[in-house]
Amino acid sequence: MTAERAPIAAIAALGITQIIGYGTLYYAFSILAGDMAKDLDWSAEWVFGALSAALLAGGLVAPWLGSWIDRYGAGRLMTLGSGLAAAGLVACAMAPTKAAFVLALIAVEIAANLVQYGAAFALLVQISPRTAQRSITYLTLIGGFASTIFWPLTDALHARMPWQHVYLIFAGLNLVVCLPLHAWLSHGLAQSRRKASQLPAPIVGQLAASARPLGFALMVTAFALQSLVGAAVLVHMVPLLSGLGVGASAAVIGTLFGPSQVLSRLTNMMYGRNLSPVMLALIAAALMPCAVAVLVLTAPSVVGAMAFAVLFGLGNGLFSIVSGTLPLMLFGSEGYGRLQGRVTSARLIVSALAPFALAFGMANIGITWSLALVVGLGGSAALTLLAVNRLARHGT
């Protein structure tokens, strides 16, 4: 019996839409935020506060969106999401008031839930549950180039035009490139679902029904803690480095972090087939707090900052994979969209609060103690995943 092939065409199409989805809806914002603040007559903090509010709103609606993905198919919802993303970006660019801008930003973050990894993972599960873990690894490898492409692209466009025009161009990419690709994937999935003989066999989760509530609570707690560590550190990267006396290495870190994410995914794709998702999750959870500890203990060493960038990138890169594969291993493919929606909700809510929480900590207890708390939270995520691993091994 030959192994099922991963749906390469679908992965390639989703890889393109993930690069555009993350590039236009996530990575571009930090580059354009300064000019957004000037045009809206806001401080930069208020603009990022608006983003936090939008992320929070996106997190609150994520469980409902996940249920719709299960009911109507991920392809249809991703097609709708591309249209909503384009409309949201246009609305941001043309917003006449601050309130209108915030509402448009909320629409953008809701659309992000429909077109980024959570929905894309669900689509791969719906197409071929048996190959989904491998497909998710391939997809995250491609998606890892989003920052590498869109940070310089956004910067180059912004040097020639106002941020509103950049957003209009990005709206066009979502409408002209992503929407047709998602519609094509939706059509193919709908055709296969109409043919009962071609319905893919579902994956059965490793956890028994009695163990699933505890397993889900532990997994979501671990993912939320990792999201908190990731969001807090990445948003405050430059002030953290400056406060520790290694601000001059910020440019070096920027060049090392992205490739390290891709390297971790490539290494896992080539050599990690014998590692279970829960073990991969443990490695990711251990790397991130270790990276922060290295930064604190070696500051103001540039070499230490470079080691931090590599370790943190490796951990964050693996985290993107296990956020899709671990729920599939533990709970199976039935209801995967709803499951991803609930996981995404917890992650987004924590990610929305993380930048403020770390900023408050740095202002009141200092950078070193704040980062020590970050290390502790990251270590707690690893310990929580150890409990998940024990639960998975026993199955009950």
Side-chain angles (χ1 to χ4, degrees):
M1 182 178 176
T2 57
E4 270 186 77
R5 284 187 175 184
I8 299 301
I11 294 168
L14 283 173
I16 294 170
T17 68
Q18 293 308 287
I19 288 173
I20 293 174
Y22 276 96
T24 62
L25 306 179
Y26 182 73
Y27 288 113
F29 189 88
S30 62
I31 294 174
L32 304 176
D35 272 5
M36 289 176 179
K38 290 178 184 177
D39 286 350
L40 293 167
D41 195 25
W42 263 352
S43 66
E45 289 79 7
W46 275 103
V47 171
F48 280 104
L51 178 62
S52 291
L55 286 169
L56 184 61
L60 292 174
V61 302
W64 285 276
L65 299 180
S67 296
W68 292 351
I69 285 172
D70 283 335
R71 182 179 303 174
Y72 302 109
R76 290 180 180 176
L77 269 295
M78 294 188 83
T79 306
L80 174 65
S82 293
L84 180 60
L89 290 170
V90 170
C92 278
M94 302 182 70
T97 64
K98 297 173 182 176
F101 176 82
V102 173
L103 289 174
L105 201 57
I106 289 173
V108 167
E109 291 308 320
I110 291 173
N113 283 341
L114 293 173
V115 299
Q116 292 177 346
Y117 277 150
F121 294 164
L123 180 58
L124 291 173
V125 169
Q126 290 174 0
I127 290 173
S128 176
R130 297 286 169 186
T131 64
Q133 289 193 17
R134 190 160 71 251
S135 298
I136 287 170
T137 301
Y138 295 157
L139 178 61
T140 56
L141 178 63
I142 301 171
F145 290 99
S147 60
T148 306
I149 294 171
F150 268 87
W151 271 336
L153 175 61
T154 304
D155 198 43
L157 290 172
H158 192 214
R160 293 167 174 78
M161 61 186 71
W163 70 268
Q164 291 93 335
H165 292 180
V166 177
Y167 259 20
L168 291 176
I169 291 173
F170 288 171
L173 287 176
N174 281 277
L175 196 62
V176 175
V177 179
C178 296
L179 191 148
L181 287 174
H182 289 152
W184 171 69
L185 290 166
S186 176
H187 178 70
L189 181 59
Q191 276 191 325
S192 67
R193 282 184 161 187
R194 283 194 291 267
K195 300 175 182 178
S197 61
Q198 295 184 13
L199 282 176
I203 294 289
V204 178
Q206 288 189 10
L207 290 183
S210 60
R212 291 191 171 196
L214 177 59
F216 181 78
L218 290 171
M219 182 188 71
V220 169
T221 299
F223 282 178
L225 289 170
Q226 284 180 272
S227 294
L228 189 151
V229 171
V233 171
L234 290 175
V235 168
H236 291 289
M237 183 80 75
V238 174
L240 283 175
L241 293 173
S242 298
L244 292 170
V246 290
S249 66
V252 177
I253 287 184
T255 62
L256 291 175
F257 176 76
S260 296
Q261 289 193 106
V262 175
L263 177 63
S264 68
R265 295 165 186 171
L266 180 62
T267 303
N268 176 64
M269 185 178 72
M270 296 175 65
Y271 304 110
R273 293 185 178 182
N274 295 325
L275 283 176
S276 70
V278 71
M279 291 306 299
L280 204 62
L282 274 167
I283 294 171
L287 282 170
M288 294 170 74
C290 282
V292 179
V294 167
L295 178 64
V296 174
L297 294 173
T298 62
S301 166
V302 173
V303 174
M306 293 170 67
F308 154 75
V310 172
L311 290 172
F312 204 83
L314 292 172
N316 204 58
L318 292 177
F319 181 41
S320 297
I321 298 173
V322 299
S323 64
T325 59
L326 184 57
L328 181 62
M329 184 199 86
L330 295 177
F331 304 100
S333 58
E334 290 293 325
Y336 181 84
R338 180 172 177 270
L339 187 70
Q340 270 293 331
R342 293 167 67 191
V343 172
T344 300
S345 177
R347 291 181 58 188
L348 282 178
I349 290 170
V350 170
S351 296
L353 300 175
F356 170 78
L358 184 56
F360 181 84
M362 289 191 295
N364 288 275
I365 62 174
I367 291 177
T368 301
W369 281 107
S370 296
L371 289 182
L373 287 175
V374 169
V375 172
L377 291 170
S380 298
L383 291 174
T384 306
L385 285 168
L386 281 174
V388 172
N389 184 43
R390 182 176 180 181
L391 204 61
R393 287 170 57 190
H394 293 284
T396 58

